[in-house]
């Protein structure tokens, strides 16, 4: 039955979901490089399901944005770079493209030059190349909410808080268990830098893709006897890590997961081994937010929900997809206010993202108060404030256990600019000095 469902899901992903085959003059098109089969299908189905649910909600409830219908089509990537590029090349000639949202570091890296040449924004929510935060260089790339370095800073700040202050990190032992992919390796240098700054001992251990076998890694962790393990995982790697940690006697309370190790799909398969585990997050779980209730009443009640299992509504991945939909739609709405209520070009939508600001009042108006912190994107800061919270699994649900924590921008921004300026020099790009550039 699972194989049948996977084949059916893949077939659906290869077609357009409730959107029509092409964008017309009164339509704004979202090409989706989704993955609904393979080892990372849980993340893909949840995230893209939430994204599509929100687009559907805006169409059904509001008639689109400014009278412009939102349309989309999916291309199955199985989280593979080559497939992601193929989908990009296949969809890029569709009219009215708003933005690309691949939810894959590898695919995003392969698209950097392409989206710059085509002048269409690339959205890498919660992930992506760190220096794309610098909008002076990466005009068309937006790592919204947080980048790998701000995430890392937030995790270290959280651990420091648990220990009683940054000065208490000196002499502590931290192991980073990371996914063997460009995504997993992105934070190696920033952990090394923070270890030197705060004086903690650091060991970084790779888990080869997809992460089904980790016995040797956790035996090494047991020998190291760290104070904390940071789990920088993805997909099946996460529950395997939690179960293997339990077998080797390492307590879940001393494991801190990153933003792609924070979903129900990461902890439920681990059973009791996940109880007490803590993970970073940029979006809260739960269905009590008005926007989630609207999706249930308007979209699912009409039989147009995208999740195969409606019980996943309100889960971390689904809510992140809904939030990603909010950010994309708000960028379109902001751009329409300047350029007119019509189908926009990718470059016009890029302007909308560079002026994306959702404060608490606007979040409340969107039915999303408390779902996330806030976001304030500018022409030179394509991420926002980078604030994160931490949630703990109690065996049944996630409970937020921290305030919103800011990264150390004073430390991070010079590193980001140094890297982005080197990229600009390599690619012979002009570093923007103001928004009009």
């Amino acid at each position: 039955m699972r194989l049948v469902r996977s084949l059916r899901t893949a077939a659906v992903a290869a077609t357009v979901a409730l959107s029509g085959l092409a964008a017309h003059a009164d339509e704004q098109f979202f090409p989706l490089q989704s993955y609904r089969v393979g080892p990372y299908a849980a993340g893909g189905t949840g995230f893209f399901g939430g994204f599509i649910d929100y687009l559907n909600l805006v169409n059904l409830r509001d008639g689109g944005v400014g009278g412009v219908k939102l349309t989309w089509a999916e291309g199955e990537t199985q989280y593979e770079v080559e497939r992601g590029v193929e989908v990009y090349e296949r969809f890029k000639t569709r009219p009215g493209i708003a933005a690309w949202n691949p939810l894959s570091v590898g695919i995003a890296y392969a698209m950097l030059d392409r989206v710059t040449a085509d002048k269409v924004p690339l959205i890498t929510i919660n992930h992506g190349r760190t220096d794309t935060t610098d909008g002076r260089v990466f005009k068309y790339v937006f790592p919204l909410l947080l980048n790998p370095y701000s995430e890392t800073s937030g995790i270290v700040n959280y651990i420091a808080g648990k220990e009683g202050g940054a000065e208490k990190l000196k002499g502590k032992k931290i192991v980073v268990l990371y996914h063997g992919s460009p995504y997993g390796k992105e934070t190696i240098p920033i952990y090394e830098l923070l270890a030197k700054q705060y004086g903690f001992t650091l060991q970084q251990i790779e888990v080869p893709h997809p992460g089904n076998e980790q016995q040797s890694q956790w035996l090494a962790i047991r020998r190291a006897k760290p104070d904390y393990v940071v789990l920088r995982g993805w997909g099946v790697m996460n529950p395997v890590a939690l179960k293997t940690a339990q077998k080797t006697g390492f307590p879940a309370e001393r494991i801190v997961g990153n933003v792609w190790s924070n979903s129900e799909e990461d902890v439920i398969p681990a059973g009791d081994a996940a109880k007490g585990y803590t993970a970073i997050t940029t979006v809260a779980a739960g269905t009590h937010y008005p926007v989630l209730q609207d999706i249930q009443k308007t979209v699912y009640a009409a039989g147009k929900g995208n999740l195969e299992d409606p019980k996943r509504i309100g889960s971390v991945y689904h809510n992140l997809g809904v939030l990603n939909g909010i950010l994309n739609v708000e960028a379109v709405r902001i751009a329409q206010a300047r350029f007119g209520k019509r189908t926009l070009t990718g470059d016009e939508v890029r302007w909308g993202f560079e002026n994306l600001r959702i404060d608490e009042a606007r979040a409340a108006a969107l039915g999303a108060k408390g779902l996330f912190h806030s976001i304030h994107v500018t022409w030179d800061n394509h991420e926002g404030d980078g604030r994160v919270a931490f949630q703990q699994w109690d065996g049944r649900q996630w409970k937020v256990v921290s305030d919103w924590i800011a990264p150390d921008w004073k430390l991070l921004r010079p590193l980001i600019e140094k890297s982005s300026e080197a990229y600009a020099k390599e690619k012979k790009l002009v570093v923007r000095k103001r928004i009009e550039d």
Side-chain angles (χ1 to χ4, degrees):
M1 282 299 295
R2 289 183 179 178
L3 178 59
V4 172
R5 285 199 300 268
S6 295
L7 291 173
R8 184 173 71 245
T9 302
V12 170
T15 64
V16 179
L18 197 70
S19 62
L21 293 176
H24 302 293
D26 58 347
E27 297 178 356
Q28 197 76 59
F29 180 60
F30 288 89
L32 303 181
Q33 295 151 298
S34 58
Y35 39 96
R36 295 180 179 267
V37 296
Y40 308 109
T45 54
F47 175 83
F48 291 103
F51 193 2
I52 291 171
D53 281 346
Y54 188 74
L55 298 180
N56 248 330
L57 174 66
V58 173
N59 280 340
L60 293 170
R61 184 191 63 193
D62 308 331
V65 182
V68 178
K69 183 182 178 183
L70 305 176
T71 61
W72 59 91
E74 295 187 71
E76 176 62 51
T77 71
Q78 296 184 34
Y79 199 71
E80 295 176 1
V81 174
E82 295 78 9
R83 291 176 183 268
V85 172
E86 185 278 325
V87 173
Y88 180 87
E89 294 298 326
R90 177 153 47 93
F91 284 168
K92 73 176 186 179
T93 57
R94 296 284 188 93
I97 293 178
W100 295 88
N101 293 263
L103 202 70
S104 162
V105 172
I107 295 173
Y109 267 67
M111 292 171 64
L112 292 178
D113 292 341
R114 290 174 168 86
V115 296
T116 300
D118 295 339
K119 297 184 177 181
V120 179
L122 167 64
I123 311 307
T124 60
I125 189 170
N126 281 358
H127 70 290
R129 178 171 168 149
T130 294
D131 56 9
T132 58
T133 289
D134 188 356
R136 300 176 311 142
V137 173
F138 295 92
K139 186 176 181 179
Y140 293 93
V141 189
F142 295 83
L144 300 180
L145 298 183
L146 88 167
N147 68 45
Y149 279 23
S150 59
E151 173 197 64
T152 301
S153 179
I155 289 173
V156 172
N157 287 347
Y158 171 71
I159 293 174
K162 285 177 67 67
E163 291 297 319
E167 68 280 358
K168 301 292 186 180
L169 289 175
K170 188 173 183 179
K172 297 295 181 182
K173 294 181 180 179
I174 297 177
V175 168
V176 179
L177 191 68
Y178 65 89
H179 190 269
S181 65
Y183 142 72
K185 298 174 183 178
E186 175 82 9
T187 57
I188 289 175
I190 190 62
Y191 273 111
E192 292 174 347
L193 177 64
L194 292 175
K196 290 179 181 178
Q197 176 166 322
Y198 294 114
F200 60 82
T201 300
L202 175 70
Q203 185 176 357
Q204 304 199 65
I205 301 174
E206 179 176 338
V207 175
H209 156 84
N212 288 314
E213 175 53 52
Q214 301 177 35
Q215 192 67 27
S216 63
Q217 288 88 349
W218 282 96
L219 288 176
I221 290 171
R222 186 168 69 177
R223 289 193 295 270
K225 297 180 180 179
D227 296 285
Y228 294 93
V229 170
V230 176
L231 177 57
R232 186 169 175 78
W234 180 224
V236 69
M237 173 181 163
N238 295 320
V240 171
L242 294 170
K243 288 189 287 188
T244 312
Q246 184 184 58
K247 289 178 182 178
T248 56
F250 193 86
E253 291 82 0
R254 289 283 172 169
I255 305 174
V256 181
N258 84 320
V259 77
W260 298 113
S261 308
N262 73 350
S263 73
E264 290 80 2
E265 289 77 12
D266 298 317
V267 290
I268 291 174
D272 290 341
K275 190 173 182 179
Y277 166 67
T278 302
I280 197 172
T281 189
T282 59
V283 62
T287 60
H288 57 284
Y289 304 99
V291 64
L292 270 299
Q293 294 173 1
D294 282 353
I295 285 173
Q296 289 176 303
K297 295 174 184 177
T298 304
V299 179
Y300 281 82
K304 296 181 179 180
N306 194 264
L307 293 178
E308 186 173 325
D309 181 5
K311 293 180 181 178
R312 295 182 70 193
I313 298 172
S315 65
V316 171
Y317 281 141
H318 182 258
N319 283 9
L320 182 63
V322 171
L323 177 54
N324 196 63
I326 290 173
L327 300 179
N328 276 262
V329 169
E330 285 302 285
V332 171
R333 195 185 313 278
I334 289 166
Q336 281 188 355
R338 177 174 181 178
F339 300 107
K341 294 181 179 181
R342 55 171 173 77
T343 300
L344 303 170
T345 68
D347 202 36
E348 290 169 338
V349 177
R350 185 270 313 163
W351 187 92
F353 277 108
E354 287 198 334
N355 291 273
L356 179 61
R357 176 183 289 188
I358 302 177
D359 57 15
E360 187 174 294
R362 182 57 184 161
L366 293 167
K369 182 179 180 180
L371 183 64
F372 69 115
H373 181 267
S374 62
I375 191 164
H376 182 193
V377 180
T378 62
W379 70 275
D380 58 346
N381 176 1
H382 279 193
E383 175 183 350
D385 301 324
R387 289 184 177 270
V388 296
F390 288 80
Q391 59 187 13
Q392 188 170 45
W393 184 251
D394 68 2
R396 297 181 300 105
Q397 61 185 351
W398 290 108
K399 292 186 176 179
V400 175
V401 293
S402 79
D403 294 328
W404 290 96
I405 298 172
D408 186 353
W409 282 118
K410 187 176 180 180
L411 171 69
L412 298 181
R413 185 68 192 193
L415 299 175
I416 290 169
E417 291 186 358
K418 181 179 179 181
S419 178
S420 64
E421 288 168 4
Y423 180 89
K425 184 176 180 181
E426 176 191 348
K427 298 290 184 177
K428 296 181 172 58
L429 300 175
V430 175
V431 179
R432 293 196 289 172
K433 294 182 173 59
R434 58 188 187 278
I435 193 170
E436 293 82 8
D437 290 345

